[in-house]
Amino acid sequence: MAVDRIFKDEANEEKGERARMASFIGAMAIADLVKTTLGPKGMDKILQSTGRGRAVTVTNDGATILKSLHIDNPAAKVLVDISKVQDDEVGDGTTSVVVLAGELLREAEKLVAAKIHPMTIISGYRMAAECARNALLHKVMDNKEDAEKFKSDLMKIAMTTLSSKILSQDKEHFAELAVDAVLRLKGSTNLESIQIIKKPGGSLKDSFLDEGFILDKKIGIGQPKRIENAKILVANTAMDTDKVKIYGARVRVDSMSRVAEIETAEKEKMKEKVQKIIAHGVNCFVNRQLIYNFPEELFADAGILAIEHADFDGIERLALVTGGEIASTFDNPESVKLGHCKLIEEIMIGEDKLIHFSGVELGQACTIVLRGARCVA
């Protein structure tokens, strides 16, 4: 009776054979769900969100499908976690790991039914895994000394991973984009230097690899559209930091002239900050936050290209590829590390204007621009 009082009134308890069977069935149901998306003949699934807007996603990616499911079965949740780890660590094979685990459990169910102890089954699976690993290592080939063979191997791997995706018709084109981008890294594993931009419009084959960095922003009115031998200051600072921002604060004045004086004082503060930035000897200023009209005018008068509201990932990557650091204070110009590139210019992709940084300090940096009719996961 004491044990019964531990659980709430609505709680259910399953033991022994019944609990084991529930785990097997839940895990196998998850594997069967994603099995139809596996391989080049695999089909896509249409997922509809239950939230606001009821967004529709078309995908055959195992991790994406399993993330969208609401699951109560503990064993099924383990399979979902396996898929997530595979997606985070490798980025491919999310469906394969779930199907493989599901089939191992399906065979394990037969062995359990034959009264073989679960620990005996587990030790057998571990021995089989070791044998499979040794067989793979025995067959392994390393062609990294031969550039042509190495690129051919990478192309085959990339095309294999793309065979089951929605762009399988153009897998050679996209495999070449991916391989060229990775080969530019020259052995480095820092994928941050590869920027990916999605621009709806055109066809899949219009996607291309660009050497350099592309920032998805427009150049402001009255600012230089082309800068050679650029010195870039990348910042995350509020240009209106000196305004009164205390919640509930009020400023009372007795005439309109006093209001004009306050505005003039604010402009002087902004101007002082702009002068500090100009003193760094830069000809391009990229800010994570808004710059506002008045500072933008001052930058334009000084012949400095000012880019505002750049997304955080964008400025992090821009600082990395140009060899600079993100600054937030400007009192000591000698302590600020500036970024450099050979050319900044405005380019058109489809109907959108973007800013292109070429000849960046991190030579292996590149941007993959993806085109297509719509975004599909």
Side-chain angles (χ1 to χ4, degrees):
M1 292 298 291
V3 174
D4 292 340
R5 292 196 194 100
I6 293 172
F7 301 107
K8 292 183 180 178
D9 294 338
E10 303 85 11
N12 293 320
E13 183 184 8
E14 291 182 345
K15 294 181 181 178
E17 191 66 33
R18 188 186 175 97
R20 195 180 295 126
M21 187 59 65
S23 296
F24 279 131
I25 290 169
M28 287 188 291
I30 290 292
D32 289 339
L33 176 72
V34 295
K35 191 187 289 183
T36 53
T37 68
L38 186 64
K41 302 286 186 185
M43 296 175 288
D44 293 347
K45 293 199 180 291
I46 300 175
L47 309 175
Q48 185 171 25
S49 167
T50 55
R52 186 184 298 174
R54 294 190 171 271
V56 174
T57 307
V58 182
T59 182
N60 68 352
D61 178 56
T64 307
I65 294 167
L66 295 177
K67 271 188 254 180
S68 308
L69 300 177
H70 301 286
I71 299 167
D72 292 330
N73 189 291
K77 283 183 178 176
V78 171
L79 258 65
V80 174
D81 290 340
I82 291 171
S83 178
K84 285 179 183 173
V85 170
Q86 180 75 7
D87 194 31
D88 294 339
E89 293 295 319
V90 182
D92 191 45
T94 52
T95 308
S96 303
V97 291
V98 173
V99 172
L100 180 60
E103 291 305 312
L104 289 172
L105 285 168
R106 200 185 299 276
E107 294 303 314
E109 184 193 9
K110 296 173 186 175
L111 296 171
V112 168
K115 303 299 181 187
I116 298 174
H117 195 278
M119 291 309 297
T120 306
I121 299 168
I122 291 166
S123 63
Y125 277 167
R126 283 183 177 145
M127 288 168 65
E130 191 63 31
C131 288
R133 186 171 178 274
N134 289 336
L136 288 172
L137 290 173
H138 183 67
K139 293 283 185 183
V140 77
M141 291 171 61
D142 188 357
N143 291 324
K144 68 180 179 184
E145 302 302 326
D146 187 333
E148 281 189 21
K149 282 187 177 178
F150 184 58
K151 184 173 181 179
S152 174
D153 289 344
L154 290 178
M155 283 289 290
K156 287 175 185 174
I157 293 167
M159 283 194 285
T160 302
T161 61
L162 293 173
S163 292
S164 62
K165 304 303 177 201
I166 202 163
L167 43 75
S168 57
Q169 302 298 321
D170 301 308
K171 63 183 179 183
E172 288 185 19
H173 176 64
F174 284 95
E176 195 164 347
L177 291 182
V179 170
D180 287 347
V182 169
L183 287 176
R184 285 179 62 84
L185 299 179
K186 296 173 184 172
S188 167
T189 56
N190 184 13
L191 298 178
E192 287 295 313
S193 53
I194 301 174
Q195 162 97 328
I196 297 174
I197 289 180
K198 300 174 186 176
K199 281 289 164 192
S203 67
L204 289 171
K205 283 192 175 178
D206 293 334
S207 302
F208 63 93
L209 176 72
D210 188 279
E211 297 179 5
F213 181 85
I214 297 176
L215 191 65
D216 196 355
K217 297 299 292 182
K218 294 179 184 176
I219 292 176
I221 297 166
Q223 296 186 3
K225 303 289 183 186
R226 179 185 171 92
I227 295 176
E228 294 182 5
N229 299 319
K231 293 180 182 176
I232 306 160
L233 175 58
V234 184
N236 184 9
T237 186
M239 297 303 290
D240 64 336
T241 187
D242 299 307
K243 285 187 177 180
V244 177
K245 286 186 176 178
I246 302 165
Y247 178 73
R250 291 182 181 179
V251 178
R252 292 181 181 273
V253 292
D254 52 15
S255 67
M256 288 303 293
S257 61
R258 296 288 186 187
V259 176
E261 285 176 18
I262 292 169
E263 287 180 351
T264 304
E266 282 181 351
K267 281 191 172 183
E268 284 301 317
K269 288 282 187 182
M270 284 184 178
K271 189 174 182 179
E272 190 180 320
K273 193 165 196 175
V274 170
Q275 293 302 332
K276 286 180 181 177
I277 293 167
I278 293 171
H280 287 70
V282 298
N283 49 15
C284 178
F285 175 61
V286 183
N287 193 21
R288 167 73 183 84
Q289 302 179 44
L290 289 170
I291 293 179
Y292 299 99
N293 292 342
F294 180 63
E296 203 171 58
E297 286 174 24
L298 298 176
F299 283 126
D301 292 342
I304 294 174
L305 169 60
I307 304 164
E308 66 176 1
H309 225 245
D311 64 279
F312 195 74
D313 284 345
I315 65 163
E316 285 265 324
R317 199 173 274 115
L318 179 62
L320 172 74
V321 301
T322 57
E325 289 179 356
I326 298 173
S328 54
T329 56
F330 312 102
D331 294 321
N332 301 307
E334 64 280 355
S335 65
V336 176
K337 190 176 180 184
L338 301 178
H340 298 85
C341 78
K342 290 180 181 175
L343 178 66
I344 301 174
E345 59 185 341
E346 192 172 60
I347 60 169
M348 289 279 290
I349 297 178
E351 297 178 357
D352 297 331
K353 291 181 180 178
L354 300 94
I355 303 170
H356 183 239
F357 297 77
S358 54
V360 291
E361 199 159 287
L362 190 68
Q364 61 261 40
C366 60
T367 302
I368 296 174
V369 180
L370 299 177
R371 307 300 309 281
R374 57 164 292 175
C375 291
V376 178

